Amino acid sequence: MTSPTPNPHAGAPFTDDDAAIRAALEDVSIPTLMCALVHITGDPSWIRGEFQPAGLFLNEYQGFMDEELQSRAREAALPVIAAYRDAGCVPAAAPSTELCQEMMSYLACEPVADEYVPLFLEELGLDGRDAGAIEWNEADIPAARRENFPVVVIGCGQSGLLAGIRLTEAGIPFTILEKAAGPGGTWFDNRYPGARVDVGSHFYCYSFEPSDHWTEYFSQQPELQAYFERVLHDYGIAEHTRFNTEVVSATYDEAAATWSVVARAADGTEDTLVARAVISAVGALNYPNTPAFAGIDDFAGPAFHSARWDHSIDYTGKRVAMIGAGASGFQIAPTIAPDVEHLTIFQRTAQWMFPNPNYHRTVPEGDKWAMRHLPFYNRWFRFLTFWPGAGIDVERSRVDPDYDDSDGLAISEHNLSTRGFFLGFIAEQVGDDPELLAKVTPDYPATGKRTLQDNGSWLNALKRDNVDLVRTGIERITETGVVTVDGTEHPVDIICFATGFRHNDFLWPMTITGRDGIVLNEMWGDQPKAHLGIDMPNFPNFFCMYGPGTNLASGGSLIFHSECQIRYIMGCLELLLAGEHRAMEPTTDAFEAYAAHHQSEISQMVWAHWSVTNSHYKNADGAVYTLSPWPIPTYWRMTHQVDTDNYTFS
Ligand code: NAP
């Protein structure tokens, strides 16, 4: 008899003495600790008694419990954890589904409805299983059939890597083609000073990988890039990956039911890979957008996009212009401001932001210890960061048709109160400076664009003597600086374009040609659409991850979304292989019905509201094809299983 595989989330046994445990408990999230104590003791009274969190807000880990109550909780926990240690670190029997749901509701500080429970049970993986792991049956899909089904994955960011992991588990031969020199996608490209994730790291990572190692609650780019590098090697994906190789085109051959994928190496040489299926994992915010400012080529000094930061240029003591101040600019400016002689920030539209005191916070050793040793603590901490962006916020983004939105400042009563909350935070940080306050106050509804997070660093940077925020439009760039439309010349030595990405140009600049010579980008035009954001008619066996209509503006993690998408895509491959089909594609009816549903929903959301201008979420007509309108559980359900009625097989 083989012994059962140990549950990777049950915590590593420990022998630390009471003093060490006491010290660790100083750093933990108390509501999360209470859930771990339920696992240790099997006693639900930990979450039913006095240690009740008062509320849950994104990135607030103590549930607004007062210090005194937290301290009592630590005192109560210490002997229980010590006894657990002394008994050999064996958790009690697994809690029932009902108790798990009660723990979810306890942490969420609101009832977690039955419909959400399967998602979170799967996501939490309390049974130690990776629910997305591929476990195909040899009898249904013999190895020889899998071996004759080569797949090309385009891109080795978080989604391409994930595709590689699942294809490996399935025993399908695959090649990942990646234009950059290493893995990580966004986290390989965006190396600008201050680059860090704005989704909590313990949630912004693969659900099946440990998460006790993050140094900060919101990791910086080098740690994220190193994470993807490690995953690449740990899962044996490196040997399937060609870096410095850009896909130029992919063309479907109807007779052979294969895709010919043309790849260009760094030296310009091209070769063609033949695949039975293609998974595009190129991301959506990957191609820099550098606006064609008049005179842009006249500038004599160094000029580069934020996603192509030139680290050979020393900005210390220099006059720097940063054109654009969205999510990237918000991180760059506070980081470089102390070192430059002068920083001039050109911002066309003010940005909404909300407070996140943990944004730059290091994970204290005690919290790391708890994640490593206390059973399921790390999983419940993941839930704590996941839940606030798990769906409710999407409904709050809906325009209330009965609300008078004619001033363009809010879309509902709730949105108006969010505006007040955000404004209060901004005003408090700005202090007594009405001119600055006017410049940083957005004139469109709160959350209408990607809402940024701040712990004061952005607004503090703006208050520095060597920083100017210019809200006047740019007329042209000259040899020596930037001229605004009021005629003012701003002399600078370096220009950084923090001007974002070509969000609406999905899969650009590749030429993807499906059946009958249909070119994907021509078919899409300015309205990119895909069934579930994943597949399109006339493009058989071609699947997208992070495709049209799947970006998340209201919370959630794109890695979670990728796990939904790859599960679905692997479900498609399983159907193809088990049924010995040559190809599959969504029916036009399914595609059109999904696209219509998507548009009818998204057009009611704040991101599509008329008052939100200059948004990278919108196309030239002001419509939104980039974002998902779905609460996360809805998308999870939609992608959980392939509905064969929506497909034609050949
Ligand atoms: P962005 O949010 O699109 O910001 C681009 C900035 O450039 C905006 O200030 C924009 O002004 C300005 N701009 C663009 N075209 C312009 C023009 N023709 N003239 C003047 N100004 C112009 O780009 P980003 O900051 O690189 O962020 C893109 C997305 O990447 C974010 O929404 C987020 O999803 C993601 N991101 C995340 C993180 C993170 O996790 N911390 C960090 C960076 C990026 P307008 O606002 O007026 O258009």
Side-chain angles (χ1 to χ4, degrees), residues 34 41 51 57 60 74 130 138 209 214 228 280 283 301 308 349 385 407 446 461 534 549 564 620:
M34 292 302 119
T41 60
F51 304 122
F57 186 71
E60 203 291 318
R74 291 187 183 96
D130 167 9
E138 171 69 16
E209 271 283 294
W214 297 111
F228 293 115
S280 166
R308 300 287 181 270
T349 312
T385 36
D407 60 6
I534 294 176
C564 293

Side-chain angles (χ1 to χ4, degrees), residues 144-183:
R145 212 182 292 161
R146 305 178 197 203
E147 281 155 21
N148 285 324
F149 198 90
V151 173
V152 164
V153 179
I154 311 174
C156 195
Q158 55 87 5
S159 57
L161 259 176
L162 177 63
I165 291 169
R166 297 312 189 201
L167 290 165
T168 304
E169 289 167 353
I172 289 183
F174 67 96
T175 306
I176 302 181
L177 303 171
E178 167 57 60
K179 68 177 163 36

Side-chain angles (χ1 to χ4, degrees), residues 334-353:
T335 313
I336 67 172
D339 298 326
V340 300
E341 181 194 311
H342 194 268
L343 175 64
T344 313
I345 301 167
F346 297 88
Q347 189 186 44
R348 186 168 61 181
T349 312
Q351 290 274 356
W352 283 112
M353 66 191 101

Side-chain angles (χ1 to χ4, degrees), residues 463-484:
K463 288 194 276 187
R464 294 177 63 95
D465 290 341
N466 69 334
V467 176
D468 280 331
L469 176 65
V470 176
R471 293 289 316 276
T472 313
I474 293 171
E475 186 188 291
R476 67 178 188 281
I477 292 174
T478 66
E479 199 179 333
T480 52
V482 180
V483 179
T484 40

Side-chain angles (χ1 to χ4, degrees), residues 181-194:
T186 285
W187 301 109
F188 187 90
D189 288 344
N190 286 273
R191 294 156 180 254
Y192 57 75

Side-chain angles (χ1 to χ4, degrees), residues 186-187 190 192 195-199 285 289 291-293 305-306 323-331 346-351 359 444 449-450 452 474 498-501 503 546 551-552 613-617:
T186 285
W187 301 109
N190 286 273
Y192 57 75
R196 82 167 68 228
V197 67
D198 64 1
V199 176
L285 295 161
N289 163 47
F293 293 111
H305 189 273
S306 56
I323 299 180
S328 303
F330 253 52
Q331 298 180 329
F346 297 88
Q347 189 186 44
R348 186 168 61 181
T349 312
Q351 290 274 356
Y359 198 28
Y444 57 92
K449 296 165 64 143
R450 175 83 180 176
L452 306 180
I474 293 171
T499 40
F501 300 88
H503 196 172
Y546 197 0
N551 200 354
L552 296 167
T613 51
N614 295 329
S615 166
H616 67 85
Y617 292 148

